[in-house]
Amino acid sequence: MSMPSTEGHARRITHNTLFLYGSEAAARLFSWATLAFLWRHWPSGVYGQYALAVNWASMLAIFGEMGLNVLVVREVAHKRERAIYYLRNATFLRLVFSLAILAALAAIGYLFRYEVILRTALLIMGFRIMVDSVSGGYVYLLQAHEQMGYFSFTNILSAAIRLLGIVLVLIAGGGVLGACWIWVLASVGALLALSLKGNLQGWRHHFSDFKVAESLTVLRHSLPFASFGAFQQLYYRVDSVILKSLSGNEAVGYYDAASKILFVVLTLSQIYGMAVFPVFSSLQDNPEEFDRLAARSLKFLFLLSAPITVGGYLLAGPLTGLISGKNYLPSGPLFAVLALSIFPYFVSNLYSTILAVKSAKRLNLQFLFLFVFNVVLNFLLIPRIGTVGASWATVTCEFSGLALGYWLALPYLRVQDWPSLARPALASILASALMGAGIWFLPHLYWIILGPVVYGTGLWLLGGLRPEDWSTLKSVLKRKGA
C-alpha cells in the first residue's frame, strides 16, 4: 500500500530542509570564519564600510531578479519541460538588468557623497552582481527540480573561496577593496560549477532560439513578483543605510554584526521556505493537500521558532562575545532585541509562501507596508534611543507584518483542523518557558547543546507531537529504498 500523498510531501520537504540546512551550515561555517577574521582585524568603522557595500549590493541585486526566481521555480516545478525556455530568457533579462544595477551603484556613491574607498567598493560589488546574474538561471532550475544537493555545494564552494581569499588578502596587507574583489572571484567559481552541472543536465541556453518577444513575455509575468522581492530585500537591509546617514560607520558595523548572527538563525526558516515552495506550487490545484501541507508547515515553524527566540534573547551577550570578540560587545544588546523577531519571522514564512503561489498582489502589498513602516520607525527611533532603535524597528515590523500577512492569506487558508494545532502550540510555549528558566538562572553557552534537549523532552512529555509527526520523523530517518 502506497504512502498517503500528504505524508510523502512532508517527508520530501523534511528531507530537503534537513539536507539544505546541513550543507548551508557548512557554508555558514566558512562565512562565520570569514566574519570572525574580519571582526578581529578591522575596527568597527572599517568593517562598517565593507558591510555597507555588501548590503547595498544585496538590496539592488534583488531588482536584477525582477521576480524571476519565484516565477521560474513555480512554473518549472509545475511544467518541467519549460526549463530551457526559462533558463534562456531569465539569463538574458538578469544580465541586462545587472548592467543597470552597476550604474545605479556608481550613482549611489556619488549622490550620498560616500568616501572614495566606499564608492569603489560599490562598483566592485556591481561586477559581482553581473557574474551572479548569469548563475541565477541555473539556480532556479535546481530549486524547481528539487536538486538541493548541488545547489548547496555551490554555496559551500563560494563561501570557501571567500574565506581563503579574504584571509590571504588581509595577510598581504589588502583592505576593503581587496575583500570586495574576492566576492567577485567567489561568484566566478560558483558560476563555473553551476555551468558544468547545467551542461550535464542538458540545460543549455540555446541563444540561437532567442526572441525578444519571449523575454518580454517572461518579464511581464515576473514583474508582479519583482516588487515583492524588492520590497522584501529593502525591508531587511535598509537599516544599515539609514544608520550610515544618522550615526556613521561604527554604528553600521555594530548593527551589521548583530544582524549577521540573526541571519544565521533565520537561515533554517529560509531553507524550509525553499524546500516547501516547489511542493506548494505543485499542489496549487489540489486544495485538500494544499491545506494539509499548510497546517503541517505552520506547526513545524511554530515548534522550531519558539525555543530559538527564547534562547537567542537570553544568551545574546555570551553568544555575541564568543562570535564577534571583545571589539564588538556593543552588538550584544542589539542582538538581544533582534532575537525577539525570530518567532514572527519563522511563522511568517507560511503566509509568504502561500501568497507567492496564490496572490502576488497581496504579497506586494504586505512587503510595501513593511518597508515603509520600517523606514519610518528607523527615522523615529534611532535619533531618540540610538542604534538599538533599528533593532526595535525590526521587531515591531515583524509582529505587525505577522498579523497583516495572515489576514491577507486568510482567503487561501481553508484548513479544517486548526484547533488541533492548539495543543502543540501550548506544549511548545511551556517547554520553551522551562528551557528559558534554566538559561535565566545559569546563562552559559552550554545551553546551546542542553537547550534543545530540555525543550525536546518537555515537548514530548507535554504531548506536543502527534502520531503523524513521529511517523514523518521515522520516514525521514529511513534510507531511500529501504
Side-chain angles (χ1 to χ4, degrees):
M1 184 175 178
S2 61
M3 180 179 294
S5 56
T6 303
E7 196 68 44
H9 290 310
R11 181 174 65 175
R12 192 164 82 237
I13 292 168
T14 310
H15 266 298
N16 284 335
T17 302
L18 293 176
F19 185 84
L20 271 172
Y21 195 72
S23 56
E24 179 69 14
R28 290 286 178 177
L29 285 176
F30 289 113
S31 296
W32 274 105
T34 305
L35 288 171
F37 185 80
L38 290 175
W39 288 333
R40 284 162 175 77
H41 285 76
W42 281 348
S44 59
V46 176
Y47 175 73
Q49 291 178 318
Y50 167 81
L52 189 61
V54 173
N55 284 331
W56 264 120
S58 298
M59 283 191 293
L60 292 188
I62 198 65
F63 288 95
E65 294 270 3
M66 295 170 293
L68 290 165
N69 52 335
V70 179
L71 174 70
V72 175
V73 173
R74 188 185 71 173
E75 295 302 315
V76 176
H78 199 225
K79 296 180 180 180
R80 297 192 173 187
E81 65 274 10
R82 301 283 281 169
I84 303 301
Y85 171 84
Y86 280 106
L87 174 65
R88 177 172 60 249
N89 290 291
T91 301
F92 171 77
L93 290 169
R94 287 200 58 179
L95 188 57
V96 169
F97 274 79
S98 70
L99 295 173
I101 291 171
L102 179 62
L105 286 169
I108 285 168
Y110 176 77
L111 292 174
F112 282 85
R113 297 182 180 181
Y114 288 154
E115 52 271 33
V116 174
I117 189 172
L118 184 50
R119 294 185 192 182
T120 308
L122 289 171
L123 288 176
I124 297 172
M125 296 304 291
F127 291 124
R128 169 220 165 191
I129 292 174
M130 291 181 64
V131 177
D132 287 343
S133 69
V134 183
S135 301
Y138 295 115
V139 173
Y140 304 157
L141 297 189
L142 289 171
Q143 292 177 4
H145 286 78
E146 298 182 56
Q147 295 187 23
M148 307 304 185
Y150 200 83
F151 170 66
S152 301
F153 163 73
T154 60
N155 284 339
I156 296 173
L157 175 65
S158 182
I161 293 174
R162 281 200 303 271
L163 170 60
L164 179 60
I166 288 177
V167 168
L168 292 177
V169 163
L170 265 66
I171 289 176
V176 171
L177 300 185
C180 289
W181 276 116
I182 295 301
W183 276 80
V184 179
L185 179 63
S187 292
V188 170
L191 173 59
L192 292 174
L194 288 165
S195 299
L196 175 61
K197 177 65 173 180
N199 284 326
L200 292 175
Q201 293 285 120
W203 298 336
R204 297 176 178 84
H205 296 86
H206 295 299
F207 280 119
S208 59
D209 297 329
F210 172 75
K211 297 177 182 178
V212 174
E214 287 185 350
S215 288
L216 292 177
T217 299
V218 172
L219 179 61
R220 187 172 66 253
H221 291 155
S222 69
L223 283 178
F225 300 107
S227 50
F228 148 63
F231 291 138
Q232 184 184 43
Q233 190 73 312
L234 287 170
Y235 164 57
Y236 288 119
R237 299 280 184 174
V238 74
D239 309 61
S240 295
V241 176
I242 297 175
L243 279 169
K244 165 70 174 177
S245 300
L246 297 180
S247 303
N249 289 326
E250 285 194 357
V252 175
Y254 291 135
Y255 185 77
D256 191 81
S259 298
K260 287 293 191 298
I261 300 173
L262 177 70
F263 290 157
V264 152
V265 178
L266 302 182
T267 298
L268 181 54
S269 176
Q270 296 165 352
I271 288 175
Y272 182 80
M274 289 169 54
V276 80
F277 181 66
V279 182
F280 268 114
S281 296
S282 65
L283 294 176
Q284 57 186 293
D285 298 326
N286 187 340
E288 184 177 353
E289 290 294 317
F290 190 94
D291 294 341
R292 287 179 183 174
L293 181 58
R296 287 199 169 193
S297 296
L298 181 59
K299 179 165 63 174
F300 173 81
L301 293 166
F302 192 102
L303 294 180
L304 194 61
S305 61
I308 297 176
T309 302
V310 172
Y313 176 78
L314 295 174
L315 290 175
L319 192 61
T320 305
L322 173 68
I323 296 173
S324 305
K326 296 180 180 179
N327 293 334
Y328 287 82
L329 286 179
S331 297
L334 304 180
F335 176 68
V337 176
L338 285 173
L340 299 176
S341 70
I342 293 173
F343 172 78
Y345 181 95
F346 269 63
V347 179
S348 69
N349 188 292
L350 177 60
Y351 77 70
S352 296
T353 302
I354 290 174
L355 290 177
V357 173
K358 295 289 190 178
S359 176
K361 181 179 180 180
R362 287 173 177 252
L363 195 58
N364 288 332
L365 178 63
Q366 166 74 4
F367 279 96
L368 172 60
F369 163 76
L370 288 176
F371 167 60
V372 173
F373 192 33
N374 193 28
V375 170
V376 172
L377 286 177
N378 271 280
F379 276 109
L380 288 175
L381 296 177
I382 293 173
R384 288 169 172 77
I385 59 177
T387 308
V388 74
S391 298
W392 280 115
T394 297
V395 173
T396 304
C397 285
E398 286 295 328
F399 277 99
S400 301
L402 185 64
L404 176 61
Y406 275 98
W407 179 75
L408 291 171
L410 197 59
Y412 314 108
L413 290 172
R414 297 179 296 274
V415 180
Q416 301 298 317
D417 61 344
W418 288 116
S420 67
L421 301 178
R423 181 171 181 175
L426 180 60
S428 176
I429 293 171
L430 294 176
S432 298
L434 176 63
M435 181 195 73
I439 299 174
W440 178 268
F441 286 108
L442 298 169
H444 300 293
L445 287 174
Y446 55 69
W447 279 100
I448 295 176
I449 298 175
L450 182 60
V453 175
V454 173
Y455 174 73
T457 302
L459 195 63
W460 174 63
L461 292 174
L462 294 168
L465 295 177
R466 299 175 65 183
E468 63 266 25
D469 299 320
W470 291 109
S471 298
T472 299
L473 289 174
K474 290 177 182 178
S475 67
V476 168
L477 296 176
K478 290 181 181 178
R479 294 183 179 181
K480 292 182 179 180

